[in-house]
């Protein structure tokens, strides 16, 4: 998972920016639960702790802000500049960086947004004549009532001040992190003009072509798995129903600790028994790392709901290596396909069948240039 | 040789003079500052110019009496509002320019909207006019998404647009609305010719296009549609300004949508005649937006747009003097609509500071690499700039130069305009490189298709209702 970066510039001058900062970051809560921002107001750069779980009326006035959502703080102040960054490599606000995306705000009112040549995405948008909006997710710009102008180009640096907007550098972006399409991004976002949902629909259809069993019902693992499930079901002509009810919304793949991950899965996936009782069920998820989610889901379907058969299908190839570029994921030693053969995995996860797209099938189906390093054994 | 007096000193007037010069007339000019481009055309044609206030009816008459032109063309809006056309006609000069009585359609946005509703001009928007900022705010809340404008034309500035569907952003957007209403009202203080009031109307989303037309009281001659770009900065960000560039013709606008604008212009000229008992003679342009409700009129110009005039004049494939004379003498029905089969992209080059800090924007020196301009094959029109003492040119605070690139395709026109923009060299100048790019054209096409699908589905819905809590239902239709 990569961080969600946000930047706001008010051409109208100082204004209460808190609602824009809060909802802009809230719109990217799919990327983590730590949110922080820096705001430039009359008192200079000010750090804002943003509690995403609380909608509260706050008045924090400023002309510009930068912020970030991640599982840990990714914003900092160095001298008279605050910046929020994601990726590897040194960040020098106002200059290109090798492999990090960033938004930065100087004490004298210059806002920078930089998208690196490959992997990470940033989009720019506008609200009326008053606000420039920059965000990792285009959906965040829309949530702020804005209109998306375009994705930044790879290596493009945008400089925004009261007196102008200057874009420097930038070319056709290189490959984007595959997990952005598979899992990290909001379903309603676009990356370089391509809808994330469109890509997921293609992966769902490709996945359906691999499934050979007779089935009674298809269920998706909340939340990301649901959209894939709809497309697999459509292609197979099998009924698609909600199979789980979430108590919390958590990104279980992000969590380090095994216990945390299992408890998150349990909280987000209590089984709907009627959906599976006595049936041959195909459960769909986006990705497979440790297999903990799938195993738990299979047990729920079988033990608690009384499913007759439980098959699983995963939209991406199994993960095999940690990301060297900073995406947070469990260590290689937790990745089940690094240790077991497919038959053994199927048995260990208590499944009747397990399907996933191979790397070649995945690359064919995804239709956009992506980095697939995490699917390869190193 | 026929003589034409052009009043005004911007890039628009430079373009008009350029077009007229091609008709072989002798040019004369009344300018507020020395526009080097107009001055050169005047000299080349054997005419001369005067420096003086273009908004002064007395000075305009004096210039006309000195030069005895066969036609006077009034370029900008402020001379029209100030009665320059009226004074010239009273003295018997044939004049292309709306009288002050009818130019009110541009000068007063509240009057324009009122006429639209009273006479059923197509492309109306729901609106209200308020002297009280609190009342303006209350109406804005009822409408949701709003545009807030000073009731008087203020050089394309002072407009706020707030998309208010997201109730959770109220505490910030409310401030933008309230401040916008205050600023719009305050902006009128310096004019003193209109009541200090604010116009609040529903904000619409879609694709902007301008249809400029000559009107002679009976006939309407429409030029090809042009798209202007009101955001000052790259990517369509930043404050509203007088326009940073244009493209024309517009492959993303359908013939029917162009005709809707022409119909609105015709209906407006007719509404003006019925309301004020005066015929509209001059330029009447509809600044339109293609929205989910169909084509709507955002506002009127009683003159050519700047920079839209450049596209219109360049693309017209005929004798511009003859056409203007026909318009000024009620013979427009004889004019033929002939246009070059080319695309044009115009880029305005502005000094840093424009439009927010005019003092910062003034006094910057720049040069034009004329060889590069010739190589690129484009046209350069001077706006808010005059010759500098040590050579080159000096900015006066607004858009300094406007550049027109033409080509057989939109891409070719864009490439030319970009090359030419790079030939204007100086510290602290900027322009929008996105305008007219293939990416921009594709985005406009997508947006147009999106709103078109909705308005075609909606069809004619007739009456529209706005529910203002605590006050009741307002019917528009």
């Amino acid at each position: 998972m990569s961080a969600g970066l946000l930047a706001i510039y008010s051409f109208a001058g100082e204004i209460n920016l808190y609602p824009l900062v809060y909802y802009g970051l809230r719109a990217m809560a799919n990327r983590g639960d730590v949110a922080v921002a820096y705001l430039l107001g009359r008192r200079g750069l000010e750090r804002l702790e943003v509690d995403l779980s609380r909608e509260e009326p706050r008045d924090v006035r400023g002309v510009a802000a930068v912020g970030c959502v991640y599982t840990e703080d990714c914003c900092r102040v160095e001298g008279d500049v605050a910046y929020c960054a994601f990726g590897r490599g040194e960040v020098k606000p106002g200059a290109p960086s090798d492999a990090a995306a960033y938004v930065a705000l100087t004490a004298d009112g210059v806002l920078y947004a930089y998208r690196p040549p490959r992997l990470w995405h940033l989009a720019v948008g506008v609200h009326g004549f008053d606000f420039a909006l920059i965000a990792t997710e285009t959906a965040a710009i829309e949530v702020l009532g804005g209109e998306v102008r375009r994705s930044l180009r790879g290596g493009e640096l945008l400089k925004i001040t009261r007196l102008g907007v200057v874009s420097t550098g930038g070319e056709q972006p290189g490959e984007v992190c595959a997990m952005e399409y598979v899992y990290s991004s909001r379903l309603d976002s676009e990356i370089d003009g391509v809808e994330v949902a469109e890509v997921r629909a293609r992966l769902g259809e490709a996945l359906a072509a691999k499934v050979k069993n007779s089935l009674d019902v298809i269920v998706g693992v909340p939340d990301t798995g649901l959209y894939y499930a709809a497309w697999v079901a459509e292609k197979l002509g099998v009924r698609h129903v909600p199979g789980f009810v979430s108590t919390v919304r958590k990104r279980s793949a992000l969590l380090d600790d095994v216990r945390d991950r299992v408890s998150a899965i349990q909280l987000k996936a209590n089984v709907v028994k009627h959906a599976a009782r006595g049936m041959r069920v195909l459960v769909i998820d986006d990705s497979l790392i440790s297999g903990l989610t799938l195993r738990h889901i299979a047990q729920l379907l079988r033990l608690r709901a009384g499913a007759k058969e439980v098959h699983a299908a995963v939209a991406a190839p199994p993960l095999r290596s940690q990301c060297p570029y900073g995406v947070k994921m469990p260590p290689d030693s937790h990745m089940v396909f690094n240790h077991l053969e497919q038959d053994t995995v199927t048995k260990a996860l208590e499944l009747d069948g397990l399907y996933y797209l191979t790397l070649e099938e995945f690359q064919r189906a995804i239709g956009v240039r992506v980095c697939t390093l995490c699917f390869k054994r190193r | 040789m026929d003589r034409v007096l052009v009043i005004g000193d911007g890039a628009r007037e430079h373009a008009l003079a350029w077009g007229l010069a091609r008709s072989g007339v002798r040019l004369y000019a009344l300018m507020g500052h020395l526009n080097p481009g107009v001055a050169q055309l005047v000299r080349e044609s054997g005419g001369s110019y005067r420096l003086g206030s273009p908004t002064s009816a007395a000075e305009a008459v004096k210039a006309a009496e000195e030069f005895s032109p066969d036609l006077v063309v009034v370029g900008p809006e402020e001379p029209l509002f100030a009665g320059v056309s009226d004074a010239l006609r009273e003295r018997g000069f044939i004049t292309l320019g709306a009288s002050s009585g009818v130019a009110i359609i541009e000068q007063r946005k509240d009057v324009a909207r009122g006429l639209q509703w009273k006479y059923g001009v197509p492309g109306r928007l729901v609106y209200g006019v308020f002297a009280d900022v609190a009342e303006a705010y209350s109406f804005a809340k009822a409408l949701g998404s709003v545009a807030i404008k000073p009731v008087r034309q203020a050089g394309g500035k002072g407009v706020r647009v707030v998309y208010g569907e997201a109730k959770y952003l109220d505490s910030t957007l409310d401030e933008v609305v309230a401040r916008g209403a205050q600023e719009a009202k305050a902006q009128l203080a310096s004019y003193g010719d209109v009541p200090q009031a604010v116009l609040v109307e529903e904000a619409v989303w879609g694709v902007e296009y301008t249809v400029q037309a000559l009107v002679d009281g009976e006939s309407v001659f429409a030029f090809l549609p042009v798209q202007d770009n009101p955001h000052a900065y790259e990517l369509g960000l930043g404050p509203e300004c007088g326009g940073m560039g244009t493209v024309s013709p517009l492959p993303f606008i359908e013939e029917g949508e162009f005709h809707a604008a022409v119909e609105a212009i015709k209906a407006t000229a007719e509404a003006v005649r019925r309301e004020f008992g005066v015929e509209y003679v001059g330029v009447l342009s509809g600044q339109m937006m293609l929205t989910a409700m169909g084509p709507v009129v955002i506002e009127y110009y009683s003159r050519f747009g700047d920079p839209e005039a450049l596209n219109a004049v360049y693309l017209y494939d005929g004798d511009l003097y003859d056409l203007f004379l026909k318009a000024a003498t009620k013979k427009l029905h004889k004019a033929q609509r002939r246009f070059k089969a080319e695309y044009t992209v115009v880029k305005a080059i502005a000094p840093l500071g424009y439009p927010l800090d005019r003092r910062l924007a003034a006094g910057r020196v720049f040069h034009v690499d004329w060889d590069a301009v010739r190589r690129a094959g484009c046209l350069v029109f001077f706006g808010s700039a005059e010759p500098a003492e040590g050579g080159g040119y000096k900015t006066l605070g607004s858009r300094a130069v406007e550049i027109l690139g033409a080509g057989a395709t939109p891409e070719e026109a864009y490439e030319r305009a970009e090359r030419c923009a790079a030939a204007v060299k100086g510290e602290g100048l900027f322009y929008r490189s996105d305008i007219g790019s293939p990416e921009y054209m594709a985005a406009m096409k997508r947006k147009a298709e999106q709103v078109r699908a909705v308005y075609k589905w909606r069809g004619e819905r007739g009456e529209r209702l706005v529910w203002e809590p605590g006050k009741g239902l307002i019917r528009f239709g």
Side-chain angles (χ1 to χ4, degrees):
Chain A
M1 181 77 62
S2 60
L5 304 178
L6 176 75
I8 299 161
Y9 193 95
S10 162
F11 295 105
E14 195 161 286
I15 207 146
N16 177 17
L17 284 183
Y18 186 75
L20 295 179
V21 170
Y22 174 80
Y23 287 101
L25 293 173
R26 186 78 191 79
M28 293 188 285
N30 53 310
R31 290 173 181 271
D33 34 50
V34 177
V36 71
Y38 281 90
L39 183 134
L40 179 63
R42 215 159 285 170
R43 292 191 303 249
L45 287 167
E46 187 181 350
R47 185 177 165 95
L48 264 182
E49 301 296 337
V50 181
D51 181 351
L52 293 180
S53 66
R54 285 167 54 132
E55 289 187 69
E56 49 181 346
R58 281 172 72 178
D59 195 337
V60 192
R61 307 180 67 77
V63 292
V66 292
C68 161
V69 187
Y70 191 41
T71 49
E72 59 203 34
D73 190 349
C74 62
C75 297
R76 66 183 62 172
V77 175
E78 278 174 15
D80 55 359
V81 55
Y83 69 89
C84 309
F86 182 77
R88 292 279 188 257
E90 200 188 348
V91 170
K92 282 191 203 145
S97 162
D98 289 346
Y102 70 81
V103 287
L105 181 56
T106 68
D108 56 357
V110 182
L111 183 76
Y112 293 103
Y114 176 74
R115 180 184 179 183
R118 56 190 287 272
L119 298 175
W120 316 123
H121 179 250
L122 276 180
V124 54
V126 57
H127 184 126
F129 294 106
D130 288 311
F131 301 105
L133 305 168
I134 288 150
T136 298
E137 302 256 11
T138 56
I141 293 171
E142 290 169 352
V143 165
L144 297 182
E147 185 185 352
V148 176
R149 282 284 188 258
R150 66 166 169 82
S151 294
L152 294 195
R153 299 190 180 91
E156 181 176 4
L157 177 69
L158 214 56
K159 177 185 177 187
I160 302 178
T161 67
R162 192 170 159 267
L163 299 180
V165 175
V166 178
S167 149
T168 46
E171 45 195 39
Q172 190 76 9
E175 69 275 29
V176 171
C177 167
M179 291 308 279
E180 288 293 324
Y181 286 103
V182 170
Y183 173 72
S184 311
S185 296
R186 278 175 62 138
L187 182 61
D188 52 348
S189 275
E190 289 184 12
I191 298 173
D192 297 320
V194 178
E195 281 186 75
V196 170
E198 177 193 332
V199 172
R200 289 186 190 167
R202 280 203 295 270
L203 291 173
E205 287 182 338
L207 188 59
K210 302 207 72 177
V211 177
K212 302 298 175 213
N213 295 84
S214 296
L215 299 165
D216 300 311
V217 69
I218 289 176
V219 298
V221 178
D223 294 312
T224 322
L226 298 172
Y227 201 69
Y228 292 108
W231 287 88
V232 173
E234 164 77 16
K235 193 82 177 172
L236 291 176
V238 175
R239 182 187 304 129
H240 168 226
V241 297
F244 302 95
V245 173
S246 302
T247 304
V248 294
R249 197 169 184 282
K250 273 200 169 168
R251 304 290 284 194
S252 43
L254 288 176
L255 305 171
D256 279 330
D257 187 70
V258 170
R259 204 188 53 151
D260 284 353
R261 251 185 290 157
V262 172
S263 77
I265 295 156
Q266 288 167 340
L267 276 169
K268 80 176 189 180
N270 194 40
V271 69
V272 179
K273 298 175 195 71
H274 176 261
R277 190 180 301 126
M279 287 191 248
R280 295 168 296 176
V281 182
L282 176 67
V283 58
I284 313 283
D285 207 354
D286 47 74
S287 51
L288 199 165
I289 306 175
S290 67
L292 284 180
T293 303
L294 267 186
R295 190 169 70 115
H296 179 73
I297 293 283
Q299 285 173 349
L300 278 178
L301 285 165
R302 211 183 298 270
L303 299 175
R304 210 179 287 174
K308 196 161 80 184
E309 292 174 20
V310 180
H311 305 268
V314 179
L319 264 73
R320 289 169 183 276
S321 302
Q322 266 199 312
C323 175
Y325 305 115
V327 176
K328 198 169 171 62
M329 49 181 67
D332 297 6
S333 63
H334 287 218
M335 296 175 177
V336 67
F337 268 78
N338 285 342
H339 305 282
L340 308 175
E341 293 302 313
Q342 161 136 11
D343 282 355
T344 320
V345 173
T346 310
K347 281 188 194 128
L349 302 187
E350 299 191 336
L351 295 166
D352 294 296
L354 172 62
Y355 307 97
Y356 54 84
L357 292 178
T358 65
L359 189 53
E360 295 69 35
E361 289 164 341
F362 176 79
Q363 277 171 322
R364 236 189 342 266
I366 197 163
V368 287
R369 287 179 64 201
V370 287
C371 169
T372 56
L373 225 49
C374 58
F375 303 133
K376 294 172 187 161
R377 189 77 205 266
R378 282 200 305 272
Chain B
M1 194 187 255
D2 282 5
R3 298 160 162 249
V4 182
L5 169 63
V6 175
I7 294 178
D9 47 32
R12 166 186 39 220
E13 287 73 37
H14 185 179
L16 294 173
W18 175 85
L20 290 163
R22 292 166 77 84
S23 298
V25 300
R26 181 163 292 162
L27 282 172
Y28 297 85
L30 172 64
M31 304 186 270
H33 72 266
L34 181 65
N35 179 312
V38 176
Q40 188 182 342
L41 288 167
V42 162
R43 272 195 303 273
E44 285 169 3
S45 74
S48 60
Y49 61 81
R50 289 175 68 99
L51 293 182
S53 169
T55 55
S56 158
E59 289 190 43
V61 168
K62 213 162 134 191
E65 283 172 346
E66 181 184 340
F67 302 135
S68 59
D70 298 283
L71 174 70
V72 186
V73 178
V74 185
E77 62 275 20
E78 289 297 340
L80 301 175
F81 302 161
V84 165
S85 296
D86 309 77
L88 288 164
R89 285 204 190 92
E90 276 165 25
R91 299 298 174 96
F93 292 102
I94 297 174
T95 304
L96 182 69
S99 62
S100 59
V102 300
I104 199 165
I105 198 83
E106 170 172 9
Q107 188 186 20
R108 292 278 300 270
K109 297 173 202 287
D110 54 336
V111 172
R113 284 273 179 251
L115 280 186
Q116 285 176 346
W117 284 98
K118 184 171 174 186
Y119 294 100
V121 175
R124 302 182 292 274
L125 284 175
V126 168
Y127 80 105
V129 181
F130 308 91
D132 183 294
V133 169
E135 280 180 29
Y137 170 80
S138 160
F139 184 70
K141 294 302 288 176
L143 277 184
S145 290
V146 286
I148 303 152
K149 306 173 173 180
V151 290
R152 186 195 195 280
Q153 160 69 246
K157 296 175 199 81
V159 176
R160 279 272 160 73
V161 175
V162 181
Y163 294 101
E165 288 91 356
K167 289 293 157 205
Y168 46 85
L169 299 176
D170 270 3
S171 57
T172 285
L173 298 186
D174 280 4
E175 191 178 346
V176 176
V177 170
R179 195 191 287 181
Q182 263 155 8
E183 287 173 6
K185 195 176 163 187
Q187 190 141 27
L188 300 173
S190 61
Y191 288 103
D193 57 1
V194 291
Q196 291 200 25
V198 177
L199 183 106
V200 178
E201 61 188 27
E202 57 186 328
V204 281
W205 181 87
V207 178
E208 291 178 309
Y209 64 111
T210 307
V211 174
Q212 305 170 97
L214 295 168
V215 181
D216 69 357
E218 286 168 6
S219 300
V220 167
F221 177 97
F223 292 87
L224 295 175
V226 188
Q227 182 172 60
D228 185 31
N229 286 273
H231 285 273
Y233 308 146
E234 192 71 11
L235 294 173
L237 305 178
E240 166 152 69
C241 72
M244 287 302 286
T246 43
V247 293
S248 177
L250 307 176
F252 44 80
I253 294 292
E254 288 185 350
E255 193 66 20
E257 291 153 2
F258 164 72
H259 284 299
V262 177
E263 287 310 311
I265 289 168
K266 278 184 186 159
T268 302
E270 174 59 17
V272 164
R273 192 188 60 75
R274 285 167 63 187
E275 181 73 12
F276 303 116
V278 185
E279 279 182 341
Y280 198 110
V281 179
V283 183
L284 180 54
S285 309
Q287 213 252 289
M288 312 292 295
M289 187 178 275
L290 188 67
T291 72
M293 295 181 292
V296 301
V297 181
I298 300 297
E299 57 193 27
Y300 295 104
Y301 304 154
S302 52
R303 31 84 200 183
F304 286 105
D306 186 357
E308 294 98 312
L310 277 60
N311 311 71
V313 166
Y314 177 85
L315 288 169
Y316 175 62
D317 193 14
D319 185 321
L320 194 67
Y321 170 61
D322 179 60
L323 180 68
F324 282 2
L325 200 59
K326 281 192 170 85
T329 56
K330 286 198 169 211
K331 291 183 184 125
L332 209 46
H333 59 282
K334 292 184 182 165
Q336 278 187 325
R337 289 189 76 242
R338 283 170 41 195
F339 301 102
K340 295 178 188 136
E342 288 180 54
Y343 290 88
T344 53
V345 172
V346 172
K347 306 241 169 189
I349 298 177
L352 195 70
Y354 176 78
L356 294 178
D357 187 342
R358 208 183 163 101
R359 251 197 349 215
L360 181 67
R364 294 175 186 275
V365 174
F366 66 95
H367 296 267
V368 179
D369 180 345
W370 293 106
D371 286 339
V373 169
R374 267 188 292 276
R375 276 199 303 278
C378 52
L379 297 168
V380 174
F381 297 101
F382 285 94
S384 175
E386 62 184 17
E389 274 175 24
Y393 310 95
K394 193 176 74 178
T395 65
L396 298 172
S398 188
R399 295 158 298 170
V401 164
E402 291 169 20
I403 273 162
L404 180 142
T409 62
E411 295 79 23
E412 200 179 307
Y414 170 73
E415 290 300 331
R416 284 226 165 98
E418 280 290 293
R419 278 207 296 278
C420 223
V424 179
K425 297 178 195 299
E427 282 298 306
L429 298 178
F430 72 96
Y431 72 98
R432 281 183 53 183
S433 74
D434 60 320
I435 295 169
S437 68
E439 199 173 32
Y440 164 105
M441 297 299 281
M444 290 303 159
K445 181 167 181 277
R446 269 200 309 278
K447 204 165 160 184
E449 282 167 357
Q450 206 171 329
V451 292
R452 186 174 293 130
V454 180
Y455 86 72
K456 289 197 170 168
W457 173 76
R458 279 182 175 158
E460 285 300 316
R461 289 166 68 91
E463 178 175 73
R464 299 195 53 212
L465 307 175
V466 172
W467 163 248
E468 191 175 345
K471 285 203 174 165
L473 198 62
I474 315 164
R475 289 172 188 277
F476 294 86

